Each structure stands twice: as C-alpha cells, then as structure tokens.
C-alpha cells in the first residue's frame, strides 16, 4: 500500500469534480512565448533563422509531413487541443490504482499519448528540436498549473513544493545525448511558467548498482524482445524492471522563478518532510512513477502525486471528467500498513 491517504471525494475514480478545483483551461489557450521582451526578441530571431535554415536544409512536419516546419501550424493547433484540458488519469495506469478503486498515487496528464501529441513527443525524444520543445513545454506547463491549482502550493510555509523529474537512464542519455524531460522543464522555467510556490528540484538519480545487479540487468535486456526497452512489457514485468532503479540525492539543488519562494536557487540538505510532485513525460502502467515515489519517500519526502506530459489511454478505463487537480490534504498513512 502506498503511504498516501488521499481525500476520497477528490480521488474517487468515478467521483464528481472537486467543488473548488481550478478553472478549466480553455481549448486553444497557448502561452508558450516568453513574457520578457528580450526573450521574445530572441525567439523571433530564432524563428527567422529557422526559416532561413529551412531553405538550405528542408524539414517536414513530424506529424503530417507538410514541408518547411518540424510542426506545422495545423498540427501545432492539434497538440494544443489535445493538451488544453489536463485531467486526472490514474485509472489509466494499473500500478497507480487498486482493483477496488483505491488510488495509490494520484496523477494528472496534459493529454493522451496519441495522434499529433505522440508523434511530436516521440520525435522530440529522438532528435530534440526547439520548435517541438516550445510546444511540448507549454503543454507540460498547463498540466503543472492544473495539478498545483487546488493544493494550496502558493501559500506553502515549508519552502515550496518540489517538482521532481524522473531522470532518464544512463543508456538513454548516451543514445540521445540529452534528457528530454530536463530540457522541457528548463523551457518551462525560462518561459516563467513554473507554478507559484513550487520549485524544480533534480532530487532523483539512477541508483548505482553492484556488479551482480548490473550483470543481471544486462542478461534481462539481452533476453527481452525489446533489448532493454519497456515497450511491450506487462505491469509486473515493468515493476520488476524499475524496482530499486532510483535513489534520492543526498543534497538537492532547487530552482524556481525566484518570487517569494525561500529556497529558490539554494541547496536543500534533506528531503525530510518536503512535499513533492513527481514529473514524467509519458505515463504508461505507472511502475516508474511508483518507483520514483518510493525513492523519495525513503528519503523522508511526502509525495503528493504525479504530473505527466502525456498518458497512454486504456480503452476499458473509466472515463474521468474531473479537472486535473490533486488533493489539497494528502497525508501519510501508518508506515506499517499496506503492501
């Protein structure tokens, strides 16, 4: 059992929307451009340079194949439409909810991993792109704002709630040369869209494994059809793959917008008692999110929930119509209870 005791009215998988949740985000709202004039100028110069580069090195839209843009205007509008209304989605992740309907870890997603959103995110994770990063970061910012909206984060007296990204694996980093989630969070921060009262904190890292564990991991990767990828794995296989893979850092550097948040720009010596939101790119079974929560709680943190850029929809999951809000009064249960 996960050491959370969420409010039943907010977390009932079939329940009504919370009475005081944030105002739904209007479809089509897009605020991905930086607020500062100098940053807007840099964005304009970058766009002009990209137009010039398109004449020399032609590119196609990653979603529809239209020429000259990595994401054409039509597909960009589709991405915004898919991510305009972040929603609660833990009932699409088997590892986050029990068969009885009890929520183990509440989750908010910007939108479903399909159509233009999935194609844009997949292309960004493979190759990176400033155009795709701007669009995806805006979607992630909407999900962060929705998740933080009803939890009273802006008035936190404990130094702010920590937004903790799930780190990429060492193999994935070597293959891509960058951490996609870190790039998106950096863009969210640059655009001034870190929610008030929250701080971006790189509090998790892949756990160092001994020689036997590394050898066992290599053998599992060789034996699995995906060669180490989690695609195609079932719930129990994914949980076994990620179990014990993450650990909390001893000292954590936190970053925010710098406005009325005491710890912005400082190093936090301990996660004891700190409230955290786990941040991930794609939510599938929820096994990675549960592992991230376990690692943070082992260091004494209190995990409020998960925020994801996209989720893989389950066709047989109950449709949740509530806004993307997390419980305002998440508390620990007795340490001896549960699984």
């Amino acid at each position: 059992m996960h050491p959370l005791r969420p409010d039943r009215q907010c977390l009932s998988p079939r329940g009504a929307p919370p009475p005081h949740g944030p105002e739904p985000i209007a479809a089509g709202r897009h605020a991905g451009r930086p607020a500062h004039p100098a940053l807007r100028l840099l964005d304009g110069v970058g766009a002009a340079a990209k137009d010039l580069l398109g004449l020399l090195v032609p590119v196609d839209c990653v979603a529809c194949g239209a020429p000259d843009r990595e994401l054409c205007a039509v597909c960009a509008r589709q991405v915004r439409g898919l991510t305009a209304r972040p929603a609660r989605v833990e009932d699409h992740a088997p590892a986050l909810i029990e068969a009885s309907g009890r929520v183990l870890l509440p989750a908010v997603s910007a939108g479903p991993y399909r159509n233009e959103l999935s194609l844009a995110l997949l292309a960004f994770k493979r190759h990176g792109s400033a155009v795709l990063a701007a669009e995806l970061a805006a979607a992630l910012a909407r999900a962060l704002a929705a998740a933080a909206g009803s939890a009273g984060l802006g008035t936190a007296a404990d130094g702010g709630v920590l937004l903790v990204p799930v780190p990429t694996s060492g193999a994935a980093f070597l293959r891509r040369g960058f951490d996609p989630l870190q790039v998106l969070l950096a863009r969210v921060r640059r655009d001034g869209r870190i929610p008030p009262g929250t701080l971006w904190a790189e509090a998790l890292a892949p756990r160092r494994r001994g020689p036997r564990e590394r050898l066992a991991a290599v053998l599992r990767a060789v034996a699995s059809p995906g060669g180490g990828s989690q695609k195609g794995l079932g719930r129990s296989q994914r949980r076994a793959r990620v179990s014990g893979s993450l650990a909390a850092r001893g000292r954590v550097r936190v970053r925010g917008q710098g406005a009325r948040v005491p710890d912005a720009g400082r190093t936090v010596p301990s996660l004891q008692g700190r409230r955290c939101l786990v941040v991930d790119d794609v939510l599938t079974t929820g096994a990675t999110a549960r592992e991230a929560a376990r690692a943070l709680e082992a260091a004494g943190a209190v995990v409020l929930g998960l925020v994801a850029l996209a989720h893989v929809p389950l066709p047989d999951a109950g449709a949740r119509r509530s806004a993307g809000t997390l419980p305002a009064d998440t508390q620990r249960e007795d340490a001896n209870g549960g699984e």
Side-chain angles (χ1 to χ4, degrees):
M1 180 183 300
H2 194 277
L4 292 178
R5 187 173 59 214
D7 178 79
R8 294 187 179 276
Q9 182 180 7
C10 290
L11 291 182
S12 172
R14 308 294 183 265
H20 301 295
E23 179 183 353
I25 300 174
R29 175 185 284 183
H30 178 58
R33 298 193 65 198
H36 196 280
L39 294 178
R40 287 201 300 271
L41 176 61
L42 287 176
D43 264 12
V45 171
K50 200 162 194 65
D51 288 338
L52 179 61
L53 184 62
L55 298 176
L56 304 175
V57 184
V59 296
D60 296 332
C61 175
V62 300
C64 71
D68 299 333
R69 288 284 180 179
E70 290 164 296
L71 192 67
C72 71
V74 173
C75 291
R77 285 197 295 271
Q78 293 297 325
V79 170
R80 296 168 203 166
L82 286 168
T83 60
R85 294 181 180 274
R88 291 282 299 281
V89 295
E90 60 269 7
D91 38 358
H92 290 275
L96 303 187
I97 190 167
E98 293 179 338
S100 65
R102 180 181 177 275
V103 174
L104 301 173
L105 186 70
V108 169
S109 167
Y113 187 74
R114 65 187 183 200
N115 302 338
E116 292 84 1
L117 178 57
S118 64
L119 293 171
L121 181 52
L122 183 61
F124 175 72
K125 293 176 70 172
R126 284 179 175 173
H127 309 296
S129 161
V131 172
L132 297 177
E135 206 65 59
L136 295 173
L140 178 59
R142 288 192 283 272
L144 290 171
S150 69
L153 305 185
T155 60
D158 58 2
V161 170
L162 304 183
L163 305 176
V164 181
V166 174
T168 190
S169 67
F173 186 86
L174 290 175
R175 184 172 64 251
R176 297 177 181 137
F178 69 104
D179 184 333
L181 189 56
Q182 296 286 353
V183 172
L184 294 181
L185 277 172
R187 180 66 190 239
V188 171
R189 182 171 179 261
R190 169 191 159 187
D191 292 346
R193 302 190 67 183
I194 296 289
T198 66
L199 297 160
W200 169 21
E202 297 177 31
L204 290 173
R207 186 176 68 85
R208 293 184 178 180
R209 303 192 179 194
R212 291 184 179 179
E213 288 181 296
R214 291 198 296 270
L215 177 59
V218 170
L219 293 177
R220 284 196 302 269
V222 171
S224 64
S229 170
Q230 293 202 96
K231 292 182 179 179
L233 297 182
R235 175 183 176 183
S236 60
Q237 292 173 309
R238 284 176 179 261
R239 290 197 66 176
R241 174 70 62 84
V242 302
S243 179
S245 63
L246 298 176
R249 297 179 184 272
R251 297 178 65 84
V252 180
R253 182 78 172 179
V254 295
R255 288 170 283 183
Q257 302 301 144
R260 292 189 291 275
V261 182
D263 284 339
R266 300 181 182 179
T267 298
V268 177
S270 171
L271 293 175
Q272 186 67 42
R274 298 301 298 258
R275 297 190 295 161
C276 299
L277 284 173
V278 176
V279 184
D280 205 355
D281 51 6
V282 181
L283 173 64
T284 50
T285 67
T288 301
R290 286 284 302 278
E291 169 61 16
R294 180 208 61 77
L296 291 171
E297 288 170 343
V302 178
V303 179
L304 301 177
L306 167 78
V307 182
L309 174 57
H311 69 283
V312 178
L314 289 180
D316 56 346
R320 178 180 294 280
R321 302 300 180 187
S322 61
T325 60
L326 295 179
D329 187 25
T330 303
Q331 298 178 2
R332 288 177 172 273
E333 291 184 346
D334 293 337
N336 294 329
E339 65 180 15

